[in-house]
Amino acid sequence: MSNKFPKNFLWGASTSAYQFEGGWDSDGKGPLIQDVRKNIPNGTTDFKVDSDHYNNWKEDIALMAEMGFKSYRFSISWTRILPKGFGKINKDGINFYNNIINELLKYNIIPIVTMYHFDLPNELEKNGGWLNRETIDHFANYAKILFENFGDRVKYWLTINEQNVMIIFGEIVGVKFGEGKERLKNTYQVNHHMMLAQAKAMDICHQTVKNGKIGSAPNIAAIYPNTNKPEDQIAALNMKIFRNWFYLDCYIFGIYNKFVLNYLEKHNSMFEIYKEDLEILKKSKPDFIAFNYYASGTAEMSYENDNFKTLTDQQKVRSIKGVYRQVYNPNLQKTQFGWEIDPIGLKTTLREIYDRYRLPLIITENGIGGYDELIDDKVNDDYRIDYYQKHIEQLKLAINDGVELIGYNPWSAIYLVSTHEGIKKRYGFVFVNRTDDDLKDLKRYRKKSFYWYQKVIENNGL
Ligand code: BG6
């Protein structure tokens, strides 16, 4: 068994278009749901300028090359390619991504491209969004355009980022399910349409991209029972199914987990499945499993009469009455933004996924957001180095245990706008000089972690 990272291990990092690019209406790009989103929390910025990667892509890729990246995971903005989500192709959008891909390849950085990262075209949203079955074929058509235009150079594809997060916390990331008694059914109807869309895209990829590899990128986490009470063990099992396996089972085996379907039936909320749908799901096969990991979860039992009284608002959203309630783990430290930190949980997650599916794994997000400060042109982010060091140690242990891990692309390569906590919550190895309300000069500064990660990559993780 190897005690080392494989020779061609994909060391790199990630970003997403709507959080990093800016240029929200430049050169023919159409509006995305994120561009028109109204629920931006007070005191945080919107996603119109971001880090202005749109105008700084050359310098940004040079910084990634300087860190020694072997891969870079980024997403393509659907409406830069198809301003309405369908119809006429925007040549400028194709050119923009051609430039990015060619620049990466110039430095021997392998592009890993996400097709969809929380960013539905607004025109499709107006037509019912993911609840409308037509969106499935719009996505498949968009995927085909990407493969035809970039598939000669892009061999690693990711369909949908964090589908499970969109289903669990839809509204935060701009997905709508409506209100009232149809809400639960609609939520899983949206999920079903996303499943079909990504299954079709996988199939098209295998037909059109020579040596192309494709997978989805859900957010997967190890789940602990809160105590050794047998019922908490059941709660943890329930949470694993609702949060993790329901999605991965469908991507990989083309089947829906019965426990979730029974729950929906019991609540008169079973979604509609057409006769041909199950065939479509069964037919598509991913080549690897990509997943994002931030922290583990902890579950305790919930009963039908549970009023969630002792839970925080966030925990309430993450819990299901009568199934499980998510609670904090007192054994774990927290980030400055209250997220739990659990490096060993990453190893457990890797082991569990690999045991269950036996496909190569790639980590497409993992990281820590905090208050970075620029002092004398320097950013001392020791806390980030500590976080990554501990997580990378666990990767090595998991590989040593036999897990086939092919890459690590943490969040994020360069500073970008957090999904729901604005610019003050800083990610990345490179600082971008702006605040939530002041764009300043958007100048890039290498953080202390930049030089540290450069060494990690140089020494292949040792
Ligand atoms: C993941 C998303 O859920 O978490 C990213 O794929 C996101 O888009 C990241 O930025 C971190 O979350 P946040 O809310 O701190 O930005």
Side-chain angles (χ1 to χ4, degrees):
M1 210 53 77
S2 167
N3 194 18
K4 289 193 211 126
F5 285 93
K7 197 162 147 258
N8 296 321
F9 193 73
L10 296 175
W11 292 104
S14 290
T15 62
S16 87
Y18 87 91
Q19 294 172 273
F20 188 42
E21 284 178 1
W24 73 286
D25 60 352
S26 300
D27 303 324
K29 178 177 166 290
L32 296 160
I33 48 170
Q34 298 293 349
D35 300 326
V36 298
R37 204 171 117 187
K38 295 273 183 316
N39 62 343
I40 308 268
N42 260 345
T44 66
T45 179
D46 56 26
F47 300 94
K48 294 199 163 71
V49 180
D50 298 333
S51 298
D52 199 23
H53 175 63
Y54 192 72
N55 294 304
N56 292 275
W57 55 271
K58 236 182 184 189
E59 180 190 352
D60 290 343
I61 294 173
L63 285 163
M64 296 175 201
E66 193 183 324
M67 267 188 278
F69 280 19
K70 310 285 183 218
S71 57
Y72 169 47
R73 180 229 178 186
F74 63 98
S75 77
I76 288 184
S77 182
W78 188 338
T79 58
R80 230 182 254 300
I81 305 292
L82 295 162
K84 291 184 166 175
F86 54 90
K88 207 167 158 259
I89 297 179
N90 175 29
K91 285 271 169 346
D92 286 341
I94 301 278
N95 287 344
F96 175 66
Y97 293 110
N98 269 333
N99 286 339
I100 302 242
I101 292 164
N102 293 341
E103 192 73 2
L104 289 169
L105 294 176
K106 183 176 111 187
Y107 292 110
N108 291 322
I109 301 175
I110 293 177
I112 302 175
V113 174
T114 316
M115 295 186 247
Y116 183 87
H117 194 121
F118 303 159
D119 52 358
L120 191 72
N122 197 45
E123 204 60 31
L124 293 184
E125 180 63 38
K126 287 199 264 173
N127 251 339
W130 280 108
L131 253 185
N132 185 342
R133 245 186 110 89
E134 284 173 12
T135 303
I136 302 170
D137 285 331
H138 288 313
F139 183 81
N141 174 53
Y142 159 61
K144 188 158 178 275
I145 292 169
L146 298 188
F147 300 143
E148 283 168 355
N149 281 278
F150 310 120
D152 56 334
R153 287 150 295 150
V154 176
K155 301 298 171 188
Y156 283 91
W157 291 93
L158 303 170
T159 52
I160 298 186
N161 178 70
E162 295 197 349
Q163 183 177 333
N164 57 338
V165 169
M166 287 188 274
I167 297 307
I168 302 168
F169 314 112
E171 255 91 49
I172 302 176
V173 286
V175 190
K176 298 199 187 90
F177 306 121
E179 289 305 328
K181 65 177 190 344
E182 290 294 297
R183 192 181 155 84
L184 182 61
K185 178 178 172 203
N186 288 349
T187 305
Y188 283 86
Q189 194 69 56
V190 162
N191 177 68
H192 182 56
H193 294 165
M194 287 182 176
M195 283 296 179
L196 290 167
Q198 64 92 37
K200 286 192 172 188
M202 284 192 192
D203 234 26
I204 302 171
C205 176
H206 289 136
Q207 284 162 28
T208 51
V209 181
K210 195 168 165 229
N211 300 326
K213 293 188 190 319
I214 188 159
S216 300
N219 179 313
I220 304 297
I223 306 297
Y224 308 127
N226 192 33
T227 68
N228 59 7
K229 280 193 226 154
E231 50 270 41
D232 282 351
Q233 176 59 31
I234 295 285
L237 184 64
N238 291 351
M239 184 169 168
K240 276 186 200 181
I241 291 172
F242 263 90
R243 193 194 181 291
N244 299 333
W245 310 145
F246 179 68
Y247 301 89
L248 285 174
D249 283 357
C250 192
Y251 296 145
I252 292 137
F253 304 134
I255 51 171
Y256 280 122
N257 188 293
K258 278 202 169 159
F259 179 67
V260 176
L261 299 189
N262 286 347
Y263 172 88
L264 296 176
E265 295 279 8
K266 205 167 112 190
H267 291 82
N268 295 321
S269 297
M270 184 56 202
F271 54 94
E272 246 178 81
I273 303 181
Y274 287 15
K275 225 168 83 208
E276 65 271 23
D277 292 356
L278 295 177
E279 271 307 300
I280 297 173
L281 295 180
K282 272 243 151 69
K283 205 169 132 221
S284 81
K285 294 271 176 258
D287 302 285
F288 54 78
I289 297 176
F291 73 99
N292 302 345
Y293 172 88
Y294 286 87
S296 56
T298 303
E300 66 181 17
M301 200 51 189
S302 166
Y303 297 96
E304 283 304 337
N305 58 354
D306 199 345
N307 57 14
F308 287 169
K309 227 178 172 171
T310 53
L311 300 183
T312 64
D313 283 348
Q314 239 193 29
Q315 287 171 332
K316 279 182 200 158
V317 183
R318 293 165 188 226
S319 302
I320 305 177
K321 199 194 278 190
V323 184
Y324 64 87
R325 14 155 77 214
Q326 183 165 359
V327 293
Y328 289 120
N329 184 338
N331 301 301
L332 301 178
Q333 287 183 340
K334 292 203 178 109
T335 70
Q336 294 161 350
F337 283 80
W339 289 28
E340 290 178 325
I341 304 176
D342 184 8
I344 296 177
L346 175 55
K347 178 180 159 189
T348 313
T349 308
L350 283 160
R351 288 269 308 264
E352 277 193 298
I353 302 176
Y354 192 67
D355 273 359
R356 208 175 155 98
Y357 304 105
R358 290 297 161 102
L359 279 174
L361 307 183
I362 177 162
I363 294 170
T364 39
E365 283 184 38
N366 168 233
I368 182 162
Y371 296 101
D372 290 337
E373 258 190 288
L374 186 67
I375 301 171
D376 297 333
D377 289 355
K378 290 193 170 55
V379 177
N380 184 342
D381 58 344
D382 280 325
Y383 73 95
R384 180 166 292 108
I385 295 175
D386 182 62
Y387 177 96
Y388 281 132
Q389 194 154 18
K390 289 185 172 139
H391 283 80
I392 290 172
E393 262 165 38
Q394 295 301 321
L395 301 186
K396 203 163 62 184
L397 294 174
I399 291 172
N400 197 24
D401 287 346
V403 171
E404 195 184 342
L405 180 67
I406 59 172
Y408 182 61
N409 287 264
W411 191 257
S412 58
I414 294 176
Y415 172 68
L416 37 66
V417 182
S418 144
T419 307
H420 61 285
E421 288 175 293
I423 229 137
K424 60 184 85 50
K425 184 184 196 183
R426 303 255 175 190
Y427 286 96
F429 302 103
V430 174
F431 183 92
V432 176
N433 192 31
R434 66 160 291 188
T435 62
D436 276 301
D437 51 17
D438 184 353
L439 287 178
K440 297 193 177 173
D441 56 7
L442 292 159
K443 204 172 150 193
R444 275 69 173 143
Y445 293 87
R446 294 162 185 79
K447 298 183 191 175
K448 194 170 171 187
S449 58
F450 178 101
Y451 299 103
W452 174 82
Y453 196 43
Q454 192 180 47
K455 280 261 157 326
V456 170
I457 299 178
E458 200 180 302
N459 297 318
N460 198 21
L462 291 178

